[in-house]
Amino acid sequence: MLGKGWLSPWVEGGTFCGSRGMALPILGLRVRLRNAAAENFAVMVEAYFVDGSQVERTNADAVISAESHAALEAFKLDIVPLKAVGKGASPVAGRGRKKTA
């Protein structure tokens, strides 16, 4: 996420993502698994932003960003087997809760 409502195109793992040459901060992210990995695993994300806000562990199927549109500082990805949480069930109940410092 490079701006409000402005997402960069999907990129493959290990490929540059961002605003090459434009000096824009990354304001959020969205992560997905593909093919067999998507059928067997879910991606859980925690994200931390420069204004001190954070998004607790949440499913990565939506854009993860701070309500304040602060720049992304760090994130943690967990890859969780779907069978550990029940087939077809979401790995977490509901969406992630947003916190402010």
Side-chain angles (χ1 to χ4, degrees):
M1 182 173 168
L2 302 173
K4 187 175 180 181
W6 182 18
L7 299 174
S8 65
W10 285 106
V11 296
E12 298 286 328
T15 305
F16 176 82
C17 176
S19 65
R20 190 179 303 266
M22 296 173 63
L24 295 173
I26 294 176
L27 304 178
L29 74 152
R30 191 166 82 175
V31 181
R32 69 178 176 183
L33 296 173
R34 297 179 351 161
N35 305 322
E39 295 173 15
N40 297 302
F41 298 94
V43 179
M44 307 303 294
V45 178
E46 292 179 38
Y48 304 88
F49 301 88
V50 297
D51 69 351
S53 64
Q54 72 182 61
V55 175
E56 293 180 347
R57 187 173 176 183
T58 187
N59 203 334
D61 59 348
V63 175
I64 309 297
S65 64
E67 290 179 14
S68 64
H69 302 293
L72 181 66
E73 182 173 30
F75 63 92
K76 175 184 169 191
L77 301 177
D78 289 318
I79 306 210
V80 182
L82 285 177
K83 65 182 175 184
V85 295
K87 197 154 187 102
S90 173
V92 292
R95 301 294 310 153
R97 294 187 310 267
K98 297 186 182 202
K99 284 186 165 182
T100 54

